[in-house]
């Protein structure tokens, strides 16, 4: 019998250490996902690298097959074909990098299954996002900038007599010379700390528009009859009507991530044991996360959360009436509050045809349908609209800001063609069916944490699809990383149960 060599033992030892490092980075991915796309993607890539080296050293490579392989890999394959026929091949092939992060689904499902880490990773994701939610509440309490509550007709910041208005009532002063503005005295000091023949840069918000203007120091300084902040002729208060975006760069991204993670929380609330600690804890988390979602004033994800809750209640066969009543009550309160605050902060109704973002979407959808009709099989290729919008008459012939088509199904069909859309829809349908079948297993076949996690992922996926009709959430890198992660964790739990059945 041949004993293993010393070198072989060292390689195995190194592989074990790399394996542990890979798992640590996967936890890092879950920790970073609610805050930073760079952090989540970087952690994932590092985790994959460590794992691959460990596999090479062991000469053993294994990725568990899933029921979603055919539509998932089919979607990626069709996107590759589309890139081959794209108007802008370089951009289209480069755009495949983001879609390739679907690998997180496979990696999370395999690694979480091997060490039964799915539940812990899900809780890490929830409590990490709680930091973001806490920051949102802090921002709302402290305010963001100074709202002009009143501006006098002869204010030195008002040039109405010259036909130009710098600021109007309701505008929010955000920063002076790129320094966040916390008081009117800070503005006054910035005016005085410079030569008269110079200007002060002021960033401000007019409704939802972020604008920049320059205020002439001399115009304010020569107001000799008034001193200090009185020179401005305005009354201000802390502004709290901003749309929360957490640590992200956009409120819609934050709202979509919150919908996915809040659904996960509600899954645990619905299935947790009859223990007041669990019920109170998950209810409190649900209220905090739903409030943060309301603070984004983003209508699609809020409506999506309502559909998520309804879907989870309908699919859950257990008699948990009290917790179902809690959830239904929370949504009944959250929706009108969300509608009211959205109307107050944005000046639009929940379904408002006069809203600029609604008319913008309708215009983009009409243009998208025309492109799909002309390029039904392979689409135009991802990114081609950026260079060919003028010849195709997109964005209302340049009158609207260039961007995407504000709908995941529409965007997929435009970029990759109708077959890609059908593959995508089959993937979503198969994923939802798979999750439902697991949720309906008998209680003696799965533990409550497994059912809770999969139920929360199911609800989040329902909400994701509801919101996808008005948002291109599948193309939002931060959002899709969270989706692949939680779907992978659900898949890991399904693997574990199948192993023991």
């Amino acid at each position: 019998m041949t004993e293993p060599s010393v070198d072989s033992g060292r390689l195995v030892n190194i592989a074990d250490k790399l394996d542990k490092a890979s798992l640590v980075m996967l936890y890092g991915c879950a920790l970073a996902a609610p805050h930073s796309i760079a952090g989540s993607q970087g952690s994932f890539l590092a985790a994959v690298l460590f794992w691959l080296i460990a596999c090479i050293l062991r000469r053993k490579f294994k990725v568990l097959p899933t029921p979603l392989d055919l539509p998932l890999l089919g979607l990626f394959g069709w996107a590759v074909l589309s890139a081959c026929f794209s108007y802008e091949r370089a951009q289209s092939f480069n755009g495949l990098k983001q879609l390739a992060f679907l690998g997180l689904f496979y990696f999370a499902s395999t690694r979480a299954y091997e060490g039964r880490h799915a539940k812990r990773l899900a809780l890490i994701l929830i409590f990490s996002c709680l930091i973001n939610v806490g920051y949102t509440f802090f921002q709302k309490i402290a305010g963001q900038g100074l709202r002009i509550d009143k501006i006098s007709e002869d204010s030195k910041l008002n040039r109405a007599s010259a036909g130009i208005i710098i600021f109007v009532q309701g505008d929010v002063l955000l920063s002076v010379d790129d320094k966040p503005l916390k008081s009117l005295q800070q503005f006054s000091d910035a005016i005085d700390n410079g030569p008269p023949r110079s200007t002060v840069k002021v960033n401000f918000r007019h409704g939802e528009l972020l604008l920049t203007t320059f205020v002439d120091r001399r115009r304010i300084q020569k107001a000799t009859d008034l001193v200090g902040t009185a020179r401005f002729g305005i009354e201000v208060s802390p502004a709290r009507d901003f749309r929360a975006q957490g640590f992200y760069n956009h409120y819609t991204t934050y709202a979509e991530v919150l919908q996915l993670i809040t659904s996960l929380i509600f899954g645990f609330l619905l299935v947790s044991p009859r223990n007041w600690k669990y019920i109170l804890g998950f209810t409190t988390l649900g209220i905090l996360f739903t409030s943060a979602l309301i603070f984004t004033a983003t209508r699609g994800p809020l409506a999506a959360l309502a559909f998520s809750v309804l879907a989870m209640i309908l699919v859950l066969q257990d008699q948990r009436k009290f917790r179902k009543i809690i959830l239904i009550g929370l949504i009944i309160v959250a929706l009108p509050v969300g509608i009211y605050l959205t109307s107050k902060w944005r000046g639009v109704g929940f379904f408002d045809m006069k809203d600029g973002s609604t008319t913008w979407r309708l215009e983009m959808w009409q243009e998208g349908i025309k492109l799909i009709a002309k390029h039904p099989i392979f689409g135009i290729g991802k990114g081609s609209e950026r260079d060919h919008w003028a010849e195709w008459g997109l964005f209302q012939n340049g009158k609207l800001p260039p961007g995407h088509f504000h709908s995941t199904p529409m965007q997929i069909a435009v970029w990759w063609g109708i077959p890609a859309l059908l593959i995508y829809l089959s993937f979503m349908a198969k994923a939802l069916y798979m999750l439902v079948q697991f949720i309906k297993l008998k209680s003696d076949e799965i533990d409550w944490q497994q059912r809770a996690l999969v139920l929360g992922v199911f609800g989040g996926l329902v909400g994701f699809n509801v919101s996808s009709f008005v948002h291109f959430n599948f193309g939002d890198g931060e959002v899709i990383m969270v989706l692949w992660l939680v779907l992978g964790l659900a898949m890991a739990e399904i693997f574990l149960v199948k192993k023991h059945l």
Side-chain angles (χ1 to χ4, degrees):
M1 182 175 179
T2 305
E3 294 186 5
S5 66
V6 175
D7 288 342
S8 177
R10 287 177 179 174
L11 290 178
V12 171
N13 186 44
I14 293 172
D16 289 340
K17 290 180 179 179
L18 288 171
D19 211 37
K20 291 178 181 178
S22 171
L23 189 59
V24 169
M25 296 311 297
L26 179 58
Y27 274 90
C29 180
L31 195 66
H35 313 294
S36 164
I37 187 171
S40 60
Q41 291 185 348
S43 298
F44 165 60
L45 292 174
V48 172
L49 177 62
F50 293 146
W51 178 71
L52 284 174
I53 296 174
C55 289
I56 292 170
L57 293 177
R58 290 197 185 103
R59 298 180 182 179
K60 182 181 179 181
F61 179 83
K62 183 180 180 182
V63 175
L64 297 174
T66 78
L68 305 178
D69 293 349
L70 185 59
L72 260 183
L73 299 179
L75 179 63
F76 188 84
W78 201 269
V80 172
L81 281 176
S82 171
C84 294
F85 293 94
S86 171
Y87 283 88
E88 297 295 331
R89 291 185 182 87
Q91 290 189 37
S92 296
F93 276 107
N94 186 57
L96 292 173
K97 290 188 296 185
Q98 182 170 324
L99 184 58
F101 277 100
L102 62 84
L104 177 57
F105 164 69
Y106 288 100
F107 186 76
S109 61
T110 299
R111 298 294 283 124
Y113 160 74
E114 290 172 348
R116 301 179 68 93
H117 294 282
K119 289 167 280 191
R120 288 189 286 270
L121 284 163
L123 291 175
I124 287 289
L125 182 67
I126 290 171
F127 285 103
S128 178
C129 191
L130 186 59
I131 298 172
N132 220 332
V133 170
Y135 177 64
T136 297
F137 277 89
F138 169 78
Q139 283 185 311
K140 282 292 180 179
I141 293 170
Q144 192 178 81
L146 302 175
R147 184 182 186 276
I148 299 177
D149 299 320
K150 186 178 180 180
I151 184 167
S152 63
E153 292 184 2
D154 58 349
S155 168
K156 298 300 181 180
L157 297 177
N158 187 337
R159 293 186 181 180
S161 59
I164 302 174
I165 298 177
I166 299 180
F167 302 109
V168 297
Q169 183 175 322
D171 285 350
V172 176
L173 308 176
L174 297 173
S175 67
V176 174
D177 287 337
D178 295 323
K179 296 180 180 178
L181 193 58
K182 299 180 179 179
S183 70
L184 206 54
Q185 184 61 51
Q186 181 185 347
F187 193 2
S188 180
D189 292 341
I191 290 292
D192 292 332
N193 293 334
R197 294 183 181 276
S198 62
T199 59
V200 173
K201 179 184 177 183
V202 180
N203 294 319
F204 69 104
R205 176 164 54 83
H206 178 75
E208 294 185 50
L209 295 176
L210 298 177
L211 304 171
T212 299
T213 190
F214 293 88
V215 176
D216 186 5
R217 280 192 168 95
R218 182 175 59 178
R219 180 174 176 79
I220 308 298
Q221 290 176 355
K222 72 179 184 180
T224 55
D225 53 328
L226 297 172
V227 295
T229 58
R231 298 176 293 178
F232 296 115
I234 60 174
E235 295 179 11
V236 298
S237 62
R240 298 186 176 89
D241 60 344
F242 61 92
R243 301 177 68 178
Q245 59 189 51
F247 297 129
Y248 293 117
N249 293 323
H250 203 277
Y251 37 78
T252 302
T253 298
Y254 186 36
E256 293 284 353
V257 168
L258 282 174
Q259 187 280 132
L260 287 168
I261 299 178
T262 307
S263 295
L264 194 58
I265 293 170
F266 288 156
F268 277 93
L269 172 60
L270 282 169
V271 183
S272 62
R274 290 179 173 86
N275 184 311
W276 280 103
K277 292 181 180 179
Y278 287 115
I279 296 173
L280 184 60
F282 288 121
T283 300
T284 302
L285 286 173
I287 292 172
L288 292 174
F289 278 63
T290 303
S291 299
L293 178 54
I294 290 172
F295 290 154
T296 67
T298 309
R299 294 165 290 184
L302 182 58
L305 182 62
F307 278 94
S308 168
V309 168
L310 181 61
M312 286 190 284
I313 290 174
L314 290 175
V315 79
L316 189 63
Q317 297 174 343
D318 296 351
Q319 296 297 317
R320 300 174 185 269
K321 293 182 180 179
F322 179 66
R323 274 169 276 189
K324 290 179 179 180
I325 291 171
I326 290 176
L327 269 186
I328 292 172
L330 179 58
I331 292 301
I332 289 175
V333 172
L335 280 176
V337 170
I339 292 169
Y340 169 74
L341 290 178
T342 298
S343 176
K344 182 180 179 180
W345 294 340
R346 298 179 57 189
V348 298
F350 208 74
F351 300 101
D352 193 343
M353 295 302 296
K354 296 180 181 179
D355 174 29
S357 65
T358 300
T359 56
W360 184 8
R361 279 177 170 80
L362 292 174
E363 175 64 30
M364 294 309 302
W365 294 346
Q366 291 174 14
E367 294 179 359
I369 290 171
K370 293 178 182 178
L371 283 177
I372 294 168
K374 292 180 180 179
H375 311 277
I377 306 302
F378 295 110
I380 63 174
K382 183 176 181 179
S384 296
E385 70 277 11
R386 298 175 187 172
D387 295 327
H388 297 268
W389 66 267
E391 65 181 273
W392 294 336
L394 298 180
F395 313 117
Q396 212 172 47
N397 291 312
K399 295 179 182 177
L400 296 174
H404 50 72
F405 290 87
H406 296 280
S407 170
T408 290
M410 178 70 69
Q411 192 75 48
I412 289 175
V414 168
W415 275 352
W416 301 325
I418 294 176
L421 175 59
L422 295 176
I423 296 171
Y424 171 81
L425 293 176
S426 70
F427 156 68
M428 286 296 177
K430 197 164 187 176
L432 290 169
Y433 177 78
M434 176 187 71
L435 297 174
V436 169
Q437 292 302 110
F438 183 88
I439 294 165
K440 290 184 176 181
L441 289 175
K442 296 178 181 179
S443 297
D444 59 348
E445 295 176 323
I446 56 176
D447 64 43
W448 75 266
Q449 292 173 322
Q450 290 175 321
R451 193 191 303 275
L453 192 157
V454 175
L455 179 65
V457 174
F458 164 76
L461 194 60
V462 169
F464 178 88
N465 280 282
V466 170
S467 185
S468 74
F469 285 103
V470 293
H471 290 139
F472 181 37
N473 47 12
F474 190 74
D476 197 326
E478 293 88 344
V479 179
I480 205 65
M481 287 297 288
V482 174
L483 180 68
W484 293 136
L485 176 60
V486 297
L487 193 57
L489 300 182
M491 194 71 248
E493 297 291 22
I494 293 173
F495 284 150
L496 283 170
V497 171
K498 283 185 174 181
K499 179 181 178 181
H500 294 97
L501 285 179

